[in-house]
Amino acid sequence: MGQTSENFSNRLQAIPPLDPDRVSLIENEGLKVKQLEPLGVEIYGADVRSRLPEPVIEALEVEMANRGFIVFKHQTDLSADELINVSKWWGAHEIHSTHGVHPATPGRNRHIFRCSNDSRHGILGVGPQWHNDGSFEAATFSHSAYYMARAPEQGGGTHFAHQGAAFDALPEDKQEFWQRLVSVNSASSVTHPLVHTHPISGRKSVWLHLGMTGAILERLPEDGMSIEELQKAPATADKFRLLKPDEMKGLFNDYNDLLNASFDEGYGIRYQYDTGDLLYIDNWAVAHRASPEAHLPSEQQGLRIMDRVTIKSKRDLAPHFGLPQYINMNGPHPFNKDGVWQAGGVGFRWKDNIRMQN
């Protein structure tokens, strides 16, 4: 989108800096806190094999919600059980696993999703497009862990974009329109709002899966009703319509452009890992994608091994407007017949020259 006008600057709310009181609480445990720009936090001096005090964990969880992610530095040689145990600090304090297990996974632990650029060591080609983990679930994961068991010599990091700041970056007319949209997952039929209010930060945040969406429903506007009133008002099928193919392409490209613009507009970061980095994202606050370098073959880049763990949310990411959490993508729908309604593992193809895989 590349907006640089004064009007854009006035709309974009800054990603909040670290809270001094929370920093003092964390550093009183002998840790060092480093604020990354424009988002993210690095934590030095921790040994996550030992549980931190509950007030410190709570403070870190709030900072994750505000700034997108935290990184515990220098956590080398974590065992599978140690990685699982620290991951239970967040969200509903329970692991929520939905993936297969690669043969090289430590202990064949079903809660660890091992990614690599070498098929002997992990799953190839994971996450090339902007996405949030577990978008096919009603209770999309609250947090995800990315443990860099072995960092490659030539980059191979992850891109992060703050979805609250991304909403602020939208023109007002698109803010209004996007808040009336609900996505339907092409594989699971789960519905999610395109804009939700983050349960901790309170920020309106965009949310769209670019690789597995089979339909977008628009709640039609009504004269004199605000977005908040529309969200709470009872509605029948005639109050909704499906976006048409050209509208879907426009929306998906706008979303992709919005997150791509994050690096220039101050709400995105290209994070490079060191071996032993343990990074946690708030999965409701930031979208992410693997950097292109992450998928280069190990012969060219050096071996990359990352373990992902996903954490159960305390709540569903529920749609507004009285819509159900699931609308069967394999069945008939009561909406306009010229809109997109596409079931399957990939969903609507909004661009033909990219690989749809997340």
Side-chain angles (χ1 to χ4, degrees):
M1 295 176 62
Q3 302 176 69
T4 57
S5 67
E6 181 178 351
N7 188 36
F8 168 82
S9 299
N10 290 337
R11 282 200 316 274
L12 181 61
Q13 296 181 26
I15 296 168
L18 285 163
D19 179 81
D21 291 337
R22 284 192 286 270
V23 170
S24 295
L25 177 67
I26 296 165
E27 291 189 339
N28 283 342
E29 294 300 317
L31 310 180
K32 179 183 176 182
V33 180
K34 178 183 178 181
Q35 178 172 301
L36 304 177
E37 296 299 339
L39 66 154
V41 183
E42 289 182 337
I43 310 295
Y44 293 83
D47 181 353
V48 298
R49 295 172 176 86
S50 299
R51 185 180 177 88
L52 292 171
E54 201 61 37
V56 174
I57 292 174
E58 292 173 0
L60 289 170
E61 191 162 25
V62 173
E63 291 301 341
M64 253 192 285
N66 289 335
R67 298 193 54 81
F69 67 91
I70 63 172
V71 189
F72 291 106
K73 301 292 289 186
H74 310 310
Q75 306 299 312
T76 54
D77 299 324
L78 288 181
S79 70
D81 287 343
E82 288 166 343
L83 177 56
I84 297 303
N85 287 338
V86 64
S87 297
K88 292 178 181 177
W89 292 0
W90 322 111
H93 312 296
E94 182 180 340
I95 306 305
H96 185 175
S97 301
T98 60
H99 53 260
V101 178
H102 188 276
T105 302
R108 296 288 183 96
N109 191 302
R110 70 181 184 89
H111 294 313
I112 293 177
F113 182 58
R114 172 152 285 203
C115 308
S116 183
N117 57 352
D118 185 322
S119 61
R120 296 170 297 180
H121 294 275
I123 304 295
L124 300 178
V126 175
Q129 304 302 325
W130 289 110
H131 66 287
N132 298 82
D133 290 335
S135 295
F136 46 84
E137 293 281 347
T140 52
F141 313 137
S142 64
H143 302 80
S144 293
Y146 307 123
Y147 178 56
M148 188 56 74
R150 190 188 191 286
E153 289 75 16
Q154 304 295 324
T158 304
H159 299 170
F160 299 100
H162 194 286
Q163 291 170 286
F167 175 80
D168 296 334
L170 286 170
E172 290 182 2
D173 59 337
K174 286 188 177 178
Q175 287 185 344
E176 194 277 337
F177 177 52
W178 286 26
Q179 288 182 87
R180 291 189 286 106
L181 301 179
V182 172
S183 67
V184 188
N185 188 279
S186 60
S188 70
S189 298
V190 71
T191 58
H192 294 306
L194 203 78
V195 177
H196 71 97
T197 299
H198 191 283
I200 296 177
S201 72
R203 293 188 73 162
K204 289 186 176 181
S205 303
V206 297
W207 178 283
L208 180 63
H209 197 297
L210 290 176
M212 202 186 296
T213 297
I216 299 288
L217 287 170
E218 178 192 3
R219 172 60 161 95
L220 299 174
E222 296 188 42
D223 290 341
M225 292 188 69
S226 68
I227 288 294
E228 289 73 22
E229 290 169 330
L230 283 175
Q231 288 175 350
K232 297 176 182 178
T236 53
D238 63 329
K239 301 293 186 181
F240 297 92
R241 74 176 186 96
L242 289 169
L243 295 196
K244 300 176 183 179
D246 58 336
E247 295 174 306
M248 289 273 281
K249 286 186 176 180
L251 173 65
F252 281 50
N253 278 284
D254 281 351
Y255 188 86
N256 192 53
D257 291 346
L258 177 69
L259 299 191
N260 284 342
S262 65
F263 307 118
D264 295 327
E265 305 293 3
Y267 53 96
I269 189 172
R270 300 176 177 92
Y271 191 78
Q272 297 295 335
Y273 300 91
D274 296 318
T275 296
D277 279 352
L278 175 56
L279 187 149
Y280 284 97
I281 64 166
D282 184 314
N283 190 49
W284 289 35
V286 289
H288 66 281
R289 68 182 180 193
S291 70
E293 298 80 17
H295 295 146
L296 294 175
S298 58
E299 296 81 8
Q300 181 177 347
Q301 179 197 34
L303 180 61
R304 180 181 191 266
I305 301 176
M306 172 185 280
D307 291 332
R308 190 194 73 172
V309 179
T310 47
I311 296 102
K312 184 177 179 61
S313 172
K314 294 179 180 178
R315 56 181 61 82
D316 291 343
L317 184 58
H320 306 301
F321 316 117
L323 286 169
Q325 187 74 72
Y326 292 89
I327 302 176
N328 184 10
M329 286 294 298
N330 294 304
H333 63 81
F335 313 108
N336 53 301
K337 302 304 180 184
D338 55 351
V340 175
W341 189 259
Q342 183 173 325
V346 173
F348 179 75
R349 293 198 66 86
W350 55 278
K351 189 172 286 189
D352 293 330
N353 61 348
I354 61 174
R355 180 166 52 91
M356 301 291 186
Q357 177 184 343
N358 283 316

